[in-house]
């Protein structure tokens, strides 16, 4: 047994939490769209062809914003192919995933799906094969009310009211050699700037994200962000980060140290963005959009990324998640929350089947992968302001990080409702943890609303079609609330959520 301590004080808050950090991602890739969210022949399909079993799980997951339509797919996509009468839409080769794209699902279907679920869309414009001209036209089609060729085309397509899409990504992973029409930082920075200028003229209310490096270990990492922002600092609001976690040494302890590395990654990008601001003597702060992140390493061989014969909706990168992956996803969410002052949007990539928290079978059931639970619980309970955590915990040494505290936590407090949510990982893999939590300035008569744990003795346990509830959250009976103190017992290798509410204001 190890003993830890967590102290938070209402006066020491970091920032309000932007709920858009609980975003996900729908790409035209593999079975994310077709037989994922859209399957007209499925027994649960609604009048639009959307799987209602998947919509129910997406609702439960609590995704607040959904990025679309890619991903690498974006850099070869013509938005015009995916609008208008379905029978007239062209079938195309998708050069990103070597698949056949039928275009039976496109912008208006995605927007209908978002409206049904009441989630915000995060769209992206193709800066690979296309550029500023296409971007301004696409935005006019989506957001201009009426009276121009493209806004009236949207209305002819049955969408009278403008979509009012606010968040736009300027391309995808433009530094990657795998990207269709990869660019240098100068080429991309210039195009991002000019595209942003046109888009803001069409609709001044848009929020724009420039592409950062496609991963931390790109050779141009850091220099890319610096150069790109040198060009488009004044025109954009966000720089993007992407990261997929792996477990190359099959060591849970090393794997969970990634949580600390993610924190460093975020702080490095903040430092680069702020150094561009400093050179310009600017008080503007570029925010971070961590718009692709997840665990992705088991389904990563070449065959998993494409299949021969240009198939339609093939099974690509259908990673099956285990208990330790859920712990890492929980840890990553804690890090995103603890950087809420600069990370204002983030997307778990992707939503369904393709490295997804939700899995489906065509014509068959849908189920929750292990990583579903930390995400849904964080999204459900994290509202308000993130408080700074003082953590007193023994730690371990990882190869990649010198001091990894066994306790990893984030605390979010909502003044309006009086609710406080504590999210915590016990990274000790053999010892349970007795934690003492001191809450200062949050009220002295706290009552327990919910105490949940995600634990499994086997780190490799998974949820599958045959056994969809092997890893499942349970109530934690070993949580005691006494005034403004909490004592709790966390199992080894567990994700934990404690939600309390103050009954009186004092
Ligand atoms: O999410 C899968 C792929 O990973 C995306 O298409 C791409 O942006 C990233 O490399």
């Amino acid at each position: 047994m190890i003993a830890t301590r967590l102290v938070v004080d209402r006066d020491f808050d970091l920032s309000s939490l932007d709920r858009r950090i609980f975003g996900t991602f729908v790409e035209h890739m593999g079975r994310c769209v077709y037989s994922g969210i859209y399957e007209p022949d499925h027994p649960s399909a609604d009048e639009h062809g959307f799987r209602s079993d998947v919509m129910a799980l997406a609702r439960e997951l609590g995704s607040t914003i959904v990025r679309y339509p890619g991903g690498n797919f974006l850099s070869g996509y013509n938005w015009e192919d995916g609008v208008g009468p379905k029978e007239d839409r062209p079938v195309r080769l998708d050069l990103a995933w070597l698949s056949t794209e039928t275009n039976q699902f496109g912008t208006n279907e995605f927007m209908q799906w978002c409206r049904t679920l009441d989630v915000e869309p995060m769209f992206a414009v193709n800066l690979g094969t296309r550029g500023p001209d296409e971007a301004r036209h696409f935005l006019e089609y989506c957001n201009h009310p009426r009276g121009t060729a493209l806004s009236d085309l949207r209305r002819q397509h049955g969408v009278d009211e403008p979509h009012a899409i606010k968040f736009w990504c300027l391309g995808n992973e433009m530094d990657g050699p795998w990207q269709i029409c990869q660019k240098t930082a100068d080429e991309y920075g210039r195009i991002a700037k000019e595209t942003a200028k046109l888009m803001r003229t069409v609709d001044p209310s848009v929020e724009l994200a420039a592409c950062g490096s496609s991963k931390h270990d790109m050779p141009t990492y850091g220099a890319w962000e610096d150069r790109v922002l040198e060009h488009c600092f004044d025109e954009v609001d966000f720089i993007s980060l992407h990261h997929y976690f792996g477990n190359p040494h099959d060591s849970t302890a090393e794997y969970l140290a990634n949580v600390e590395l993610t924190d460093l990654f975020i702080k490095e990008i903040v430092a680069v963005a702020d150094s561009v601001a400093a050179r310009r003597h600017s008080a503007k702060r570029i925010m971070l959009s961590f718009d692709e992140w997840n665990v992705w390493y088991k389904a990563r061989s070449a065959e998993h990324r494409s299949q021969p014969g240009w198939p339609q909706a093939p099974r690509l990168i259908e990673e099956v998640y285990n208990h330790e992956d859920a712990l890492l996803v929980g840890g990553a969410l804690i890090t995103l929350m603890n950087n809420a002052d600069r990370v204002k949007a983030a997307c778990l990539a992707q939503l369904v089947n393709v490295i997804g928290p939700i899995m489906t079978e065509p014509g068959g059931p849908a189920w929750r992968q292990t990583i579903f639970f930390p995400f849904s619980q964080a999204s459900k309970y994290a509202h308000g302001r993130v408080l700074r955590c003082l953590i007193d915990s023994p730690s371990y040494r990882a190869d990649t990080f010198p001091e990894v505290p066994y306790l990893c936590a984030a605390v979010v407090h909502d003044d309006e409702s009086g609710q406080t949510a504590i999210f915590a990982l016990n990274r000790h893999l053999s010892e349970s943890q007795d934690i003492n939590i001191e809450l200062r300035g949050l009220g002295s008569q706290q009552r327990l609303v919910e105490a949940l744990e995600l634990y499994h003795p086997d780190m490799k346990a998974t949820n599958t079609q045959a056994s969809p509830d092997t890893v499942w959250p349970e109530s934690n009976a070993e949580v005691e609330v006494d005034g403004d103190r909490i004592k709790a017992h966390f199992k080894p290798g567990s994700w934990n959520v404690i939600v309390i509410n103050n009954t009186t204001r004092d």
Side-chain angles (χ1 to χ4, degrees), residues 25 27 29 71-72 97 172-173 178 242 244 292 296 317 349-350 355:
F25 177 31
E27 177 168 6
M29 174 182 181
N72 297 340
W97 303 112
N172 176 68
E173 296 188 349
W178 58 86
H242 286 185
Y244 291 103
E292 278 188 41
W296 174 18
I317 64 168
Q350 298 184 2
I355 44 174

Side-chain angles (χ1 to χ4, degrees), residues 20 166-168 170 196 200 204-210 229 232-240 284-289 342 344:
R20 294 181 297 184
K166 224 177 158 50
F167 200 117
W168 292 83
L170 302 171
R200 278 201 201 285
S205 75
V206 292
E207 291 179 82
L208 300 173
L229 286 176
C232 64
F233 181 91
D234 292 326
E235 285 77 21
V236 303
D237 308 290
F238 290 88
I239 185 90
S240 75
K284 174 177 175 178
R285 287 296 173 262
I286 297 284
M287 296 298 161
L288 273 49
S289 174
R342 297 304 289 269
K344 299 291 180 187

Side-chain angles (χ1 to χ4, degrees), residues 1-2 426 431-436 453 476-480 486-492 494 496 498:
M1 176 94 68
I2 58 165
N426 179 9
E431 302 275 335
S432 46
Q433 183 173 138
D434 267 342
I435 179 169
N436 272 296
E453 66 180 8
N476 183 352
E478 293 183 89
V479 176
E480 277 171 36
I486 304 173
K487 278 182 194 304
H489 183 82
F490 295 158
K491 294 200 171 76
S494 62
N496 302 271
I498 298 173

Side-chain angles (χ1 to χ4, degrees), residues 6 422 435-439 484-488 490 498:
L6 169 64
I422 299 150
I435 179 169
N436 272 296
I437 304 172
E438 283 175 50
L439 308 157
D484 54 7
R485 303 276 166 135
I486 304 173
K487 278 182 194 304
F490 295 158
I498 298 173

Side-chain angles (χ1 to χ4, degrees), residues 294-310:
N294 202 345
V295 170
W296 174 18
Y297 67 100
K298 302 174 208 88
R300 242 197 197 275
S301 64
E303 322 74 88
H304 277 101
R305 298 183 78 164
S306 68
Q307 288 167 16
W310 300 94

Side-chain angles (χ1 to χ4, degrees), residues 241-468:
L241 291 78
H242 286 185
H243 190 70
Y244 291 103
F245 299 101
N247 188 2
H249 308 297
D250 194 11
S251 154
T252 308
E254 289 298 329
Y255 186 45
L256 296 181
N258 273 303
V259 174
E260 313 309 303
L261 297 173
T262 305
D263 188 60
L264 278 189
F265 181 20
I266 290 170
K267 292 192 162 72
E268 284 166 4
I269 297 301
V270 167
V272 174
D274 290 355
S275 78
V276 180
R279 284 205 296 275
R280 308 166 94 89
H281 307 283
S282 171
K284 174 177 175 178
R285 287 296 173 262
I286 297 284
M287 296 298 161
L288 273 49
S289 174
F290 211 134
D291 49 40
E292 278 188 41
W293 71 272
N294 202 345
V295 170
W296 174 18
Y297 67 100
K298 302 174 208 88
R300 242 197 197 275
S301 64
E303 322 74 88
H304 277 101
R305 298 183 78 164
S306 68
Q307 288 167 16
W310 300 94
Q312 269 179 33
R315 288 179 190 263
L316 296 183
I317 64 168
E318 299 200 355
E319 185 103 354
V320 176
Y321 293 111
N322 58 30
H323 178 59
E324 68 188 350
D325 298 333
L327 298 182
L328 182 52
V329 163
L333 286 163
I334 285 173
T335 304
L336 293 175
M337 291 188 255
N338 282 335
N339 284 283
D341 54 333
R342 297 304 289 269
V343 181
K344 299 291 180 187
C347 301
L348 181 75
Q350 298 184 2
L351 179 66
V352 193
N353 293 326
V354 177
I355 44 174
I358 301 170
M359 290 297 286
T360 69
E361 269 305 308
W367 64 96
R368 302 163 187 80
Q369 295 232 55
T370 60
I371 62 168
F372 184 99
F373 301 109
F375 191 100
S376 62
Q377 293 167 359
S379 176
K380 181 168 179 189
Y381 292 116
H383 294 265
R385 301 191 69 81
V386 178
L387 304 182
R388 294 173 195 271
C389 290
L390 185 148
I391 287 178
D392 182 7
S393 161
S395 47
Y396 65 96
R397 186 180 179 80
D399 287 345
T400 52
F401 205 81
E403 222 179 299
V404 183
Y406 289 113
L407 172 64
C408 163
V411 178
V412 187
H413 172 72
D414 185 14
D415 263 339
E416 235 169 77
S417 65
Q419 180 170 291
T420 305
I422 299 150
F423 305 94
L425 273 190
N426 179 9
R427 284 188 279 199
H428 205 298
L429 303 176
S430 54
E431 302 275 335
S432 46
Q433 183 173 138
D434 267 342
I435 179 169
N436 272 296
I437 304 172
E438 283 175 50
L439 308 157
R440 298 180 184 165
L442 295 170
S444 59
Q445 294 184 44
Q446 300 287 346
R447 82 183 161 81
L448 186 63
V449 175
E450 190 89 85
L452 297 163
E453 66 180 8
L454 191 68
Y455 168 75
H456 199 284
D458 178 6
M459 284 290 164
K460 306 297 181 195
T462 58
N463 292 345
T464 60
Q465 184 184 358
S467 171

